[in-house]
């Protein structure tokens, strides 16, 4: 009972211009029902985000999400693989090095979580076919995808690799794979997990709830749940007056399950860097292409629930802490730009150019497939964060992932 009284106390409302509840979309209705079902007539922010993104007609569940794409077509946001094929080439090369070090097992599984348009998978597999055909033969690729719409886009995109890939429909948080010998990868996945949002109100830590008053959306600050307080404490989050911080409880659960699902190999996670001052994780931003820039991102989620993407920065320190507790070793931590350098981004470029010239696999790529331009186009993502963790691999494995060009490497090893 005491816990319940604590929870229902409203400390303050957050300041927002009036944003009316239109009651016109299925997502809006689902949120409305969820609020009315509760004694407190409010839902934690994570529930709002969950229904908006993953409810029956939510942004991801409905397949409404538009990632990357040709200029002139509707797109909500872009990602590294959509910008350049060299992102996937560098990762593929790193994985092939790991495979070498693991003694070239007959089966090396790559599990990609949240694969968007399937572009990263396409680039990883294309690079392997062209440059490391021996590695390609052992590769077995699984995509775990929550969006039925995007899974269809992926299947179309990856037709030439049918037979190499299997799809598992479901949430990466539940980690519906096990005994992985190889690698578990994700790019811009964890930022989409529903988060709680916290701040400090007059000296007290407070958690965001969403309610409806006079037919407008309102955000209320209430006392946090025990789980949220425990997370803040465990990960030393700085919760400041006037600043909103994300508490990603699912990220921790996800990391534990990934650590468990990996039998031997690597977990590579790339996502938004914490842009705030140290210790604070930028809470929430929304995107829906040009419209969000015009209207101011944050309000979009209330104007168009279910129509926009909602993301938060990722607390990489927390992921690292959990994985280390689970016995994994940090092989690389730092910016995406540094990771790609480390994986020999420019060597990959030379390899692919050489393959094109000598009439190899990449020569067959239509020119617009070179899209997705040269390695320098990845600069806009260079301050994203990357975390590479290894399990059951000794330190020499790390060196194997950093490869020179194929021809140089062969000379070096001989
Ligand atoms: C921002 S997009 C990134 C797509 C891709 N990784 C890329 O870099 O282009 C997020 C992707 O994760 C998927 N997704 C979001 N939440 C998920 C979850 N809980 N489990 C599995 N997939 C999820 C989305 O459907 C989408 O494919």
């Amino acid at each position: 009972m005491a816990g319940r009284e604590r929870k229902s106390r409203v400390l303050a409302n957050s300041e927002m211009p009036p944003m009316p509840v239109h009651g016109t979309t299925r997502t809006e209705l689902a949120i409305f029902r969820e609020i009315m079902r509760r004694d407190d007539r409010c839902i934690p922010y994570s529930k709002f985000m969950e229904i908006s993104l993953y409810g029956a007609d939510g942004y991801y569940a409905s397949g409404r999400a538009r990632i990357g794409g040709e200029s002139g077509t509707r797109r909500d946001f872009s990602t590294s693989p959509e910008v350049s094929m060299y992102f996937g080439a560098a990762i593929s090369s790193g994985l092939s090095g790991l495979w070498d070090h693991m003694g070239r097992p007959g089966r090396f599984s790559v599990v990609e979580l949240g694969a968007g348009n399937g572009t990263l998978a396409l680039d990883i597999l294309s690079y392997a076919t062209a440059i490391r055909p021996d590695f390609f033969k052992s590769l077995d690729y699984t995509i775990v995808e929550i969006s039925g719409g995007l899974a269809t886009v992926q299947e179309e995109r990856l037709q030439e690799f049918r037979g190499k890939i299997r799809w598992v429909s479901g949430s990466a948080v539940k980690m519906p794979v096990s005994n992985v010998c190889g690698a578990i990868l994700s790019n811009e996945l964890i930022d989409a997990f529903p988060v709680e949002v916290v701040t400090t109100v007059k000296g007290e830590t407070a958690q965001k709830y969403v309610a409806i008053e006079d037919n407008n959306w309102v955000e209320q600050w209430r006392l946090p749940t025990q789980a949220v307080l425990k997370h803040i404490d465990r990960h030393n989050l700085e919760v400041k007056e006037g600043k909103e911080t994300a508490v990603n409880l699912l990220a921790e659960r996800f990391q534990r399950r990934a650590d468990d699902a990996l039998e031997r190999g690597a977990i590579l996670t790339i996502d938004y860097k914490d842009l705030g001052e140290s210790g604070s994780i930028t809470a929430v931003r929304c995107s829906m292409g040009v419209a969000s820039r015009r209207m101011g991102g944050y309000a979009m989620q209330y104007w168009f629930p279910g129509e926009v993407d909602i993301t938060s920065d990722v607390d990489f320190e927390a992921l690292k802490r959990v994985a280390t507790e689970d016995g994994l070793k940090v092989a690389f931590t730092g910016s995406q730009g540094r990771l790609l350098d480390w994986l020999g981004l420019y060597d990959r470029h030379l390899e692919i150019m050489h393959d094109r010239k000598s009439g190899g696999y990449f020569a067959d790529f239509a020119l617009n497939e070179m899209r997705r331009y040269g390695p320098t186009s990845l600069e806009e993502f260079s301050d994203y964060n990357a975390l590479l963790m290894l399990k059951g691999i000794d330190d020499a494995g790390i060196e194997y992932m950093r490869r020179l060009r194929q021809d140089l490497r062969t000379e070096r090893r001989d």
Side-chain angles (χ1 to χ4, degrees):
M1 187 65 195
R4 193 160 172 177
E5 276 166 14
R6 266 170 67 82
K7 188 174 168 235
S8 41
R9 200 174 124 213
V10 179
L11 300 171
N13 279 2
S14 80
E15 283 174 26
M16 295 203 297
M19 274 180 286
V21 180
H22 304 292
T24 48
T25 67
R26 279 170 64 199
T27 300
E28 223 183 13
L29 238 77
I31 297 168
F32 177 81
R33 277 203 205 102
E34 189 65 32
I35 290 175
M36 291 308 149
R37 207 172 64 73
R38 307 219 175 189
D39 292 347
D40 291 349
R41 296 284 191 269
C42 66
I43 49 174
Y45 180 79
S46 61
K47 195 59 170 176
F48 176 87
M49 189 166 164
E50 181 193 311
I51 300 175
S52 297
L53 297 183
Y54 306 108
D57 196 36
Y59 180 75
Y60 281 117
S62 64
R64 202 171 283 125
R66 291 283 172 277
I67 307 166
E70 305 301 319
S71 72
T73 58
R74 190 204 122 192
R75 79 173 149 196
D76 299 342
F77 55 87
S78 207
T79 58
S80 297
E82 294 303 327
V83 166
S84 173
M85 65 186 299
Y86 294 102
F87 178 77
I91 291 174
S92 187
S93 163
L95 296 177
S96 69
L98 185 63
W99 174 73
D100 284 334
H101 179 65
M102 287 167 74
R104 305 190 166 189
R107 182 169 166 193
F108 183 91
S109 303
V110 173
V111 178
E112 186 187 346
L113 309 165
N117 298 332
T119 311
L120 177 58
L122 180 69
D123 294 340
I124 288 178
L125 292 164
S126 301
Y127 175 87
T129 325
I131 315 289
R132 291 297 315 265
D134 48 351
F135 170 57
F136 180 78
K137 274 200 209 111
S138 303
L139 254 179
D140 131 285
Y141 210 99
T142 300
I143 290 179
V144 176
E145 178 55 64
I146 206 163
S147 159
L150 284 173
T152 307
V153 173
Q154 292 157 15
E155 279 177 45
E156 277 167 25
R157 190 98 213 256
L158 290 160
Q159 275 204 13
E160 76 185 283
F161 293 113
R162 233 187 3 229
K164 251 308 180 210
I165 310 180
R166 81 183 169 112
W167 273 264
V168 176
S169 158
S171 174
V173 178
K174 298 207 170 123
M175 197 55 67
V177 291
S178 56
N179 304 107
V180 177
C181 251
I184 298 178
L185 314 173
S186 67
N187 183 53
E188 295 202 37
L189 166 79
I190 298 179
D191 65 50
F193 291 171
V195 289
E196 301 301 353
V197 178
V198 293
T199 193
T200 296
V201 175
K202 294 188 193 124
E204 263 191 292
T205 307
Q207 178 181 338
K208 183 177 283 185
Y209 282 76
V210 176
I212 296 171
E213 283 172 11
D214 300 329
N215 212 34
N216 284 318
W217 296 107
V218 288
E219 292 182 341
Q220 299 173 339
W221 292 112
R222 293 171 174 248
L223 289 174
T225 62
Q226 287 306 316
V228 166
L229 286 173
K230 209 169 127 200
H231 184 97
I232 293 171
D233 191 43
R234 172 164 150 68
H235 297 294
N236 306 315
L237 285 190
E238 229 184 302
V239 182
K240 290 191 198 154
E241 198 97 29
K243 169 130 184 43
E244 298 189 5
T245 297
V247 168
N248 198 334
L249 298 173
L250 294 179
E252 179 159 354
R253 196 177 306 164
F254 160 82
Q255 186 64 52
R256 282 233 181 285
R257 289 184 176 155
D259 299 345
D260 214 40
L262 183 71
E263 201 172 301
R264 186 163 176 245
I267 300 180
L268 175 61
T269 304
I270 302 180
D271 218 310
Y272 294 149
K273 183 179 156 73
D274 167 17
L275 301 172
E277 305 107 81
S278 75
S280 65
I281 310 302
T282 303
V284 168
R285 57 173 99 77
C286 310
S287 71
M288 187 196 189
V290 176
S292 70
R293 286 191 283 279
R294 260 194 232 127
M295 297 183 65
Y298 189 80
M300 298 286 295
Q301 59 187 322
Y302 294 111
W303 282 110
F304 306 110
E307 308 276 326
V308 302
D309 191 22
I310 308 175
T311 56
S312 71
D313 282 353
V314 172
D315 184 352
F316 276 82
E317 285 304 314
L319 298 181
K320 218 190 299 176
R321 188 168 297 117
V322 172
T324 313
E325 284 168 6
D326 288 342
L328 278 76
K329 251 188 309 197
V330 179
F332 178 93
T333 175
S335 68
Q336 170 178 318
R338 271 190 47 227
L339 174 81
L340 295 178
D341 267 357
W342 191 80
L343 293 174
L345 184 66
Y346 288 90
D347 281 315
R348 308 294 72 84
H349 184 55
L350 293 174
E351 274 169 2
I352 287 171
M353 286 307 169
H354 183 264
D355 185 69
R356 279 173 72 76
K357 264 203 221 116
S358 53
Y361 176 89
F362 285 106
D364 291 340
F365 264 43
L367 254 191
N368 68 359
E369 276 294 340
M370 290 304 284
R371 47 172 165 107
R372 312 196 294 130
Y373 312 93
T376 48
S377 58
L378 287 165
E379 301 242 304
E380 64 175 296
F381 296 92
S382 62
D383 68 348
Y384 276 44
N385 257 356
L387 176 63
L388 175 67
M389 309 281 310
L390 298 180
K391 185 171 178 182
I393 305 285
D394 63 37
D395 289 344
I398 299 167
E399 277 314 306
Y400 270 73
M401 296 184 77
R402 315 176 61 169
R403 300 183 140 254
L404 299 176
R405 246 181 306 158
Q406 177 74 4
D407 49 350
L408 296 179
R409 195 191 52 246
T410 313
E411 281 164 27
R412 198 178 52 166
R413 295 262 158 89
D414 285 347

